[in-house]
Amino acid sequence: MKTVHEVSKIAGVSVRTLHHYDAIGLLKPTKVTPAGYRLYDESALRRLQTILLFRELRFPLKDIKKMVDQPDFDQMAALKDQIRLLELQREHLDRLIAFARKLERNGGNKVDFSAFDHSEYDRYAEEAKERWGGTDAYKEYVSRAEHQPEDRKENAAQGLMAIFAKFGKVKHQNPSSDEAQALVKELQQFITDNFYTCTPQILAGLGQMYIGDERFRKNINQAGGEGTAEFAAKAIEIYNTGK
């Protein structure tokens, strides 16, 4: 793990910025030592990388947090959006350079504002925000969380880990077994009851996230033992596809 000063150095952001990200819940350290030192693992660094890409694209911090915090956030799919937005930025900059050179050749006399048009970029950026931060599941999650006392949130988190502990107890079986499939159904219902409506599509996305996101995989494996995340993800896939 890396200290806040090490992260500041390799990421090119100030320690003060990292402290601010922590304060607003955008990037929490993986661990805080008894002495108060913030430590960040690889998963946290990947999240920071995603955050900084969105910052380069001029996304407000509140929008970034809304997107990366949503339960079905897909980092690789979001990266494709980020790449497209960066390409649009580059195209816009190329137009501005060509426009400035044309002005230079004409002595700066021609009036033309077409090179300043951001409409395509703005439209795509809004679509990205809506795609990653405006899902019904996320809105429902936020709405519920706002009205839930802290002890209920904690109980829900513990209950979720308890289900993964059950997955760990049957991970020696085939993920298509009745026991494993019953646990997937229990998991889906628990998420619906405590967080947001867990549709088959969202459930499939969660299954992928359980093995694709280091934080989720680590927590699930801590609850059920090594290999639990992979087993649960496979059981979810079978549950959704029927094979």
Side-chain angles (χ1 to χ4, degrees):
M1 288 210 256
K2 297 188 181 300
T3 67
V4 68
H5 289 282
E6 289 173 329
V7 173
S8 172
K9 185 176 181 180
I10 64 175
V13 296
S14 68
V15 171
R16 183 177 179 181
T17 294
L18 293 171
H19 285 178
H20 179 60
Y21 287 177
D22 181 8
I24 65 175
L26 179 59
L27 181 71
K28 305 294 289 184
T30 308
K31 179 181 179 182
V32 178
T33 69
Y37 293 105
R38 295 171 171 84
L39 299 176
Y40 299 81
D41 64 6
E42 286 296 318
S43 179
L45 294 180
R46 284 194 295 272
R47 181 178 170 102
L48 176 59
Q49 189 172 253
T50 298
I51 291 168
L52 294 181
L53 268 174
F54 277 126
R55 287 300 284 160
E56 288 291 329
L57 293 164
R58 304 193 304 273
F59 279 59
L61 291 178
K62 64 177 183 178
D63 289 340
I64 298 173
K65 185 177 187 303
K66 185 189 295 184
M67 289 186 288
V68 300
D69 277 354
Q70 71 168 308
D72 56 347
F73 178 74
D74 186 329
Q75 185 177 11
M76 294 308 297
L79 183 59
K80 292 181 180 178
D81 281 335
Q82 291 172 326
I83 291 170
R84 180 55 185 150
L85 286 168
L86 287 168
E87 290 172 342
L88 289 172
Q89 263 192 2
R90 182 180 61 191
E91 291 168 10
H92 177 67
L93 185 58
D94 287 340
R95 286 196 301 272
L96 285 175
I97 293 172
F99 173 69
R101 286 176 174 165
K102 186 176 181 180
L103 280 178
E104 184 182 35
R105 290 193 301 270
N106 297 331
N109 294 321
K110 184 177 181 181
V111 178
D112 181 1
F113 296 100
S114 60
F116 302 99
D117 183 12
H118 288 86
S119 59
E120 186 178 3
Y121 176 92
D122 292 341
R123 183 172 62 254
Y124 198 96
E126 285 304 315
E127 289 175 1
K129 289 178 187 179
E130 184 175 340
R131 186 156 45 246
W132 301 116
T135 64
D136 291 338
Y138 181 78
K139 291 176 182 176
E140 184 179 355
Y141 170 74
V142 170
S143 177
R144 289 193 190 185
E146 286 178 345
H147 300 93
Q148 279 188 348
E150 290 301 319
D151 59 340
R152 185 172 178 182
K153 294 179 186 177
E154 182 63 26
N155 289 338
Q158 292 177 358
L160 190 63
M161 289 301 105
I163 294 175
F164 287 121
K166 293 179 184 179
F167 271 108
K169 292 179 180 178
V170 301
K171 65 184 178 184
H172 61 283
Q173 299 182 20
N174 192 302
S176 64
S177 67
D178 291 342
E179 290 86 348
Q181 292 300 292
L183 283 175
V184 175
K185 185 176 181 179
E186 180 181 347
L187 174 66
Q188 184 179 28
Q189 189 61 52
F190 185 87
I191 293 172
T192 295
D193 292 342
N194 292 275
F195 299 101
Y196 47 83
T197 303
C198 187
T199 64
Q201 182 181 10
I202 289 177
L203 182 64
L206 289 173
Q208 295 174 6
M209 188 168 62
Y210 291 158
I211 55 176
D213 189 301
E214 181 62 29
R215 293 169 302 169
F216 282 94
R217 185 167 67 245
K218 180 179 178 181
N219 289 336
I220 292 171
N221 286 343
Q222 282 181 343
E226 196 65 33
T228 301
E230 289 77 5
F231 178 81
K234 185 61 179 177
I236 289 172
E237 180 185 351
I238 293 171
Y239 184 85
N240 266 345
T241 62
K243 56 183 179 180

